[in-house]
Amino acid sequence: MIKVGLTGGIGSGKSTVTGLLLAHGIPVVDADQIARDIVEPGQPALQELAEAFGPDIIRADGSLDRAGLAAKAFVDAEHTALLNSITHPRIAEETARRFAAAEEAGETAIVYDMPLLVDKGLDRQMDLVVVIDVDAEERVRRLVDKRGLAEMDVRRRIDAQVPDDIRRVAADVLIDNNGPLEALAPQVDELVEEIRRRSQA
Ligand code: ADP
């Protein structure tokens, strides 16, 4: 089974591309989704977070109050490290479990949708690295106009990620999503061909 890393800055179109890949029957492991799943009610990480940061990070309905946790965890490096020591091992374990499940199911390729693939050096563990490239100003426009995010928040998050030129250097396949959606689909079709070629080789 070949591992295909898919990455790009916030708002570059990762979710849009994974939607197209899934429609082609290519399985996707979604890193953001795993990060959410491991803190669902009943998961051990949620209880540990409450023990570390206080019970009020859990809402009345039992779900995690993300903003409340962020306010307590991102105050300094020590608290951030405490948060990471609770969540990271769970995320790693669950990610490995999903890769293994795909392999056991007989999949010949899996796409790992991971915003911080290059930031964390995980691109080196992939057989193929796909980077979606969109000018940062255009990403800000799309996220503000289409997803209703606050502009300052988007810019702060872009600044916290690895610079676009560094990410581009890591790419085996570069998808240019600066244009309209109609220009994206044929590039994904080509990517699917490339994945199928490589997984049969
Ligand atoms: P990511 O998952 O990388 O954060 P999304 O796939 O959610 O990015 O895309 C960000 C926003 O931009 C979404 O609202 C999406 O519908 C929109 N979008 C994606 N590609 C294009 C495009 N080529 N033209 C216009 N809007 C786009």
Side-chain angles (χ1 to χ4, degrees):
M1 185 181 77
I2 66 157
K3 294 184 205 152
V4 180
L6 175 71
T7 195
I10 174 173
S12 58
K14 293 179 295 300
S15 308
T16 311
V17 168
T18 57
L20 294 168
L21 290 170
L22 287 167
H24 280 282
I26 300 204
V28 175
V29 169
D30 179 338
D32 282 346
Q33 185 63 48
I34 291 175
R36 289 191 291 271
D37 288 350
I38 60 120
V39 290
E40 280 288 300
Q43 294 297 314
L46 185 60
Q47 194 50 45
E48 282 181 34
L49 287 172
E51 280 159 21
F53 293 100
D56 52 334
I57 61 148
I58 298 183
R59 292 206 192 90
D61 67 0
S63 67
L64 174 65
D65 175 359
R66 288 172 181 285
L69 175 61
K72 291 185 173 187
F74 297 129
V75 286
D76 57 30
E78 195 188 325
H79 286 81
T80 305
L82 177 60
L83 167 68
N84 291 342
S85 73
I86 295 169
T87 56
H88 284 185
R90 260 58 188 252
I91 291 171
E93 199 178 297
E94 181 58 21
T95 306
R97 199 189 62 72
R98 291 190 192 187
F99 273 87
E103 186 137 39
E104 268 166 39
E107 299 291 355
T108 55
I110 186 103
V111 169
Y112 184 35
D113 172 3
M114 174 46 158
L116 302 180
L117 191 78
V118 175
D119 314 46
K120 297 203 166 188
L122 297 171
D123 52 314
R124 294 193 291 272
Q125 297 175 18
M126 299 290 125
D127 300 298
L128 186 71
V129 176
V130 181
V131 172
I132 311 173
D133 195 41
V134 180
D135 182 73
E137 287 306 313
E138 177 61 18
R139 287 192 275 139
V140 172
R141 259 194 300 279
R142 287 178 189 172
L143 290 170
V144 170
D145 293 351
K146 301 197 170 185
R147 295 223 308 234
L149 301 189
E151 181 174 340
M152 282 312 293
D153 191 33
V154 173
R155 290 193 187 280
R156 199 172 42 74
R157 287 163 74 176
I158 287 178
D159 288 345
Q161 294 186 336
V162 80
D164 292 345
D165 52 348
I166 305 272
R167 201 185 287 108
R168 272 195 296 267
V169 170
D172 299 308
V173 174
L174 196 65
I175 292 184
D176 179 356
N177 190 26
N178 283 288
L181 282 171
E182 301 79 71
L184 182 62
Q187 296 182 75
V188 175
D189 292 347
E190 261 182 55
L191 172 62
V192 169
E193 287 302 311
E194 177 70 18
I195 291 172
R196 296 226 160 103
R197 253 197 312 275
R198 288 190 182 229
S199 57
Q200 280 158 13

